[in-house]
Amino acid sequence: MEYAKETFLQADCLDSLWSDFSSLEEMQKCWHDLCWQEIESNSEKLLSEKPAAIDCRTVETDGHIFRVYGVVHGWTGGPSAEYRQLVENSLESEENVLFEKMLGQFYGEKEDVEIPDFWVLGRLGQIVLGLRSMLMFPLFMYYAIKDMAREIFTRKEKPVKDIHDIIDSVCYHNVDPELRRGMDGSLPTALQIELELSHWRDWNRYANVDYLMAIAARSGYIAEFAKNFARDRELGELAIVVGDRHLTEVEYFLRTPLPLPEVAAAAALHAERISNWRYYYHYLFARYMGMMSVGVTLGFIPYLLLAALASFYLI
């Protein structure tokens, strides 16, 4: 069956699409290809002019106005100094800002608050994440150092000769946010949320890195945190800065209640405590790093065994 972009965007649920695909991978690839076809067909327009600011989604709910900004943050806040400056210019007029974990270190002021969305992974998820990172340590360090060096030393971005390199350009924000999701295979917002939350209580989500990262659930947590924080601080307007993948999902959950009561309750509790004492975030972050360290320690055992075997046979 020949699909159009609108077929995915207008789909009410995954069930309306499953009959035409043999697997989730086939469905994701179809959406990915449709997004790139759309982007490629409009490449000249997308690259013709750099945006003056990054795009944001505005939601008004319960008497509060939220502006959600999605950024490509990499290891240092963005792929180039020019990109990071664009983000700073975009946030310049915002008085009250919440940041996803670590983004406040790049773009925030001393008094700004970061959101402890890492809580959503849970203790086991945090341990597994640390374990996976350590088991892949050589590759992880190679790509981390390579990407950090590229971001730090790239001051002014190079002209985009191939539209597929637009993710490293400020022109990335000329692309529609739903199409941006499809660039890496993520389904349209509502469908991806349905997919990820359907695996929320499955044990096998710890074996799948996409489900382990709990991006949709974290988006819901961020939205609930922001709503409660705005209420507790009595803020009429509030900006939320998140990784770009979260952008439309946070917008979705600002409009739609999160169907995970335990996550919504935690977000409300954390918002209240951080609103009264922002250093509570650092307590939660220390717990997160502690659980990660347990996983890292477990992941280090194979390297110790290899070193022991090597010393036994080589010395």
Side-chain angles (χ1 to χ4, degrees):
M1 179 177 177
E2 195 71 26
Y3 265 93
K5 176 189 67 174
E6 288 71 25
T7 307
F8 279 84
L9 294 175
Q10 295 171 10
D12 294 328
C13 61
L14 287 169
D15 284 344
S16 64
L17 299 174
W18 275 128
S19 60
D20 297 308
F21 297 99
S22 61
S23 66
L24 172 63
E25 290 73 21
E26 185 182 355
M27 182 190 297
Q28 291 171 323
K29 184 180 185 305
C30 180
W31 169 243
H32 171 80
D33 292 345
L34 287 170
C35 289
W36 274 114
Q37 288 170 18
E38 179 80 10
I39 292 168
E40 288 167 354
S41 66
N42 291 287
S43 60
E44 186 175 344
K45 179 181 178 181
L46 293 172
L47 298 174
S48 62
E49 187 175 346
K50 293 181 178 180
I54 62 173
D55 54 306
C56 77
R57 294 298 184 98
T58 302
V59 178
E60 184 170 358
T61 180
D62 297 330
H64 305 281
I65 297 174
F66 299 93
R67 283 184 290 276
V68 190
Y69 297 85
V71 302
V72 179
H73 53 82
W75 293 93
T76 63
S80 67
E82 185 176 357
Y83 183 92
R84 293 190 287 275
Q85 187 60 54
L86 176 70
V87 176
E88 291 176 4
N89 293 344
S90 303
L91 299 177
E92 192 173 20
S93 62
E94 297 289 358
E95 293 185 9
N96 302 295
V97 189
L98 289 178
F99 292 92
E100 184 190 349
K101 174 180 67 71
M102 299 306 293
L103 287 179
Q105 305 299 312
F106 305 133
Y107 300 115
E109 302 292 337
K110 186 176 180 180
E111 67 276 6
D112 287 329
V113 169
E114 292 185 350
I115 302 172
D117 59 296
F118 47 79
W119 178 91
V120 177
L121 275 64
R123 289 189 177 93
L124 179 57
Q126 293 163 9
I127 291 173
V128 172
L129 182 59
L131 173 62
R132 289 181 64 100
S133 299
M134 193 61 201
L135 290 176
M136 299 178 65
F137 183 75
L139 280 176
F140 178 81
M141 291 304 298
Y142 169 75
Y143 286 112
I145 293 172
K146 179 183 175 182
D147 290 343
M148 279 190 280
R150 178 175 60 85
E151 292 171 12
I152 291 170
F153 293 108
T154 301
R155 309 306 299 170
K156 189 174 179 63
E157 65 183 43
K158 298 177 182 178
V160 180
K161 297 179 180 179
D162 185 335
I163 189 64
H164 287 78
D165 295 329
I166 195 172
I167 193 170
D168 288 329
S169 167
V170 294
C171 292
Y172 175 76
H173 290 279
N174 289 334
V175 180
D176 179 86
E178 287 291 358
L179 296 182
R180 298 203 300 254
R181 295 176 60 83
M183 290 168 70
D184 67 356
S186 299
L187 293 170
T189 302
L191 300 181
Q192 187 69 27
I193 288 173
E194 178 189 349
L195 173 65
E196 292 189 25
L197 295 193
S198 70
H199 291 276
W200 174 249
R201 291 181 173 84
D202 293 348
W203 278 97
N204 62 6
R205 77 180 178 93
Y206 296 107
N208 183 310
V209 69
D210 293 327
Y211 300 144
L212 171 66
M213 296 306 294
I215 294 177
R218 285 164 49 210
S219 296
Y221 175 97
I222 290 169
E224 291 293 329
F225 185 101
K227 286 189 282 189
N228 283 277
F229 187 86
R231 184 197 63 212
D232 294 341
R233 288 280 183 94
E234 298 181 345
L235 301 175
E237 299 185 8
L238 181 62
I240 312 168
V241 182
V242 294
D244 195 61
R245 169 68 187 278
H246 289 292
L247 173 62
T248 55
E249 294 179 359
V250 172
E251 177 195 16
Y252 176 95
F253 284 118
L254 285 171
R255 303 180 190 276
T256 308
L258 175 64
L260 301 175
E262 70 278 20
V263 176
L269 175 64
H270 296 161
E272 179 186 6
R273 290 184 175 177
I274 293 175
S275 176
N276 293 323
W277 187 55
R278 67 187 184 89
Y279 291 103
Y280 186 72
Y281 168 89
H282 299 289
Y283 163 71
L284 294 175
F285 186 76
R287 283 176 46 182
Y288 162 67
M289 292 304 296
M291 292 299 101
M292 285 275 289
S293 297
V294 172
V296 167
T297 301
L298 293 174
F300 192 60
I301 292 174
Y303 295 102
L304 288 176
L305 292 175
L306 286 173
L309 285 172
S311 63
F312 179 79
Y313 286 106
L314 297 177
I315 297 176

